[in-house]
Amino acid sequence: MGLLENLEQRLDQIVNGSFSKAFKSEVQPVELGAALQQEIDNRADNINGQTVVPNIFIVELGPVDHERLSTYFNTLSIELGTLANSYTNEQRYTAVDLAHITFDLDQSLETGVFRIRSAAASRPVDVVVAASEFQNSTPQMPEAAFAAVATPYLTSVTGEEFRITKSVTSVGRGIEADIQIDDTSVSRLHCSIVLGSEVLIRDLDSTNGTIVDGNRASESVLYDGSIIKIGNITFTYMSK
């Protein structure tokens, strides 16, 4: 039996079938599980040989769905967290910590539509980095429509901007880098920027090193206005 079938069976036992009776066109708990797995896959990012995925998830619901599901938030948090941890292990992904699931109300969302925001962090964070929105117009599995919601970026001395829209964003000269820098002083995968409770930059064993605010760094916290030198290229980190 698959992870989603196990989740659906456990939830059904807990609430004596009330989910299947109460929810039709509204958001159904098993759909949250399917969307959670999809969110993990969508945010998976190869960093230094490891596939890193988010572990912090905030599920945003419209007023009707939020009210209907509120009784089960504690149960859903536990069950969806278990699902996320199991799926991460099953796919041989890497997460910085165990999954943490919370729920929030978004008055702008219609019934049957929900959004999952996610980040990679060692504990729950206030700033999240990306969101996927799902709509249940039929009883079938939802399809995701990704929309980046965070606004941090790197800006070059020429004014070019490079938006940071992933929980882990790689920077380098190679085509596999999320932010590609066409300069021979930059390694193919030079460094990565990790968004979480703090924003970190990590050097990926680059040839010429990563300099942050004048200091060579293997890992360093970034602040608004931090000056980053990658090879011979200089950027300023802007938090928003």
Side-chain angles (χ1 to χ4, degrees), residues 15-123:
V15 299
N16 297 318
S18 62
F19 276 135
S20 60
K21 295 174 184 177
F23 303 103
K24 291 183 172 60
S25 62
E26 296 84 1
V27 172
Q28 299 184 37
V30 70
E31 291 178 327
L32 298 178
L36 186 64
Q37 289 184 171
Q38 190 171 8
E39 179 75 4
I40 292 172
D41 287 335
N42 288 346
R43 302 291 177 263
D45 195 43
N46 190 285
I47 298 296
N48 207 21
Q50 291 186 319
T51 304
V52 180
V53 297
N55 63 299
I56 304 298
F57 304 93
I58 300 176
V59 180
E60 294 186 342
L61 300 163
V64 172
D65 291 311
H66 190 277
E67 182 179 357
R68 285 180 176 272
L69 286 170
S70 60
T71 303
Y72 308 106
F73 281 166
N74 288 338
T75 297
L76 284 171
S77 294
I78 294 170
E79 294 294 340
L80 291 173
T82 300
L83 173 70
N85 292 330
S86 298
Y87 188 69
T88 296
N89 292 333
E90 182 182 86
Q91 301 300 312
R92 300 185 183 277
Y93 292 151
T94 298
V96 297
D97 206 341
L98 294 176
H100 182 84
I101 316 290
T102 56
F103 295 85
D104 201 1
L105 171 64
D106 187 332
Q107 295 284 354
S108 69
L109 292 178
E110 298 179 357
T111 301
V113 178
F114 62 96
R115 183 183 298 116
I116 295 181
R117 299 179 182 271
S118 64
S122 58
R123 57 187 176 86

Side-chain angles (χ1 to χ4, degrees), residues 172-189:
R173 178 168 45 86
I175 59 174
E176 64 270 38
D178 298 309
I179 296 177
Q180 296 180 28
I181 309 300
D182 186 17
D183 189 283
T184 56
S185 68
V186 177
S187 297
R188 292 185 62 83
L189 281 178

Side-chain angles (χ1 to χ4, degrees), residues 111-154:
T111 301
V113 178
F114 62 96
R115 183 183 298 116
I116 295 181
R117 299 179 182 271
S118 64
S122 58
R123 57 187 176 86
V125 294
D126 294 326
V127 178
V128 294
V129 300
S132 294
E133 188 170 294
F134 302 83
Q135 181 169 357
N136 175 19
S137 56
T138 70
Q140 300 175 354
M141 292 298 179
E143 295 183 357
F146 169 70
V149 297
T151 57
Y153 61 94
L154 301 179

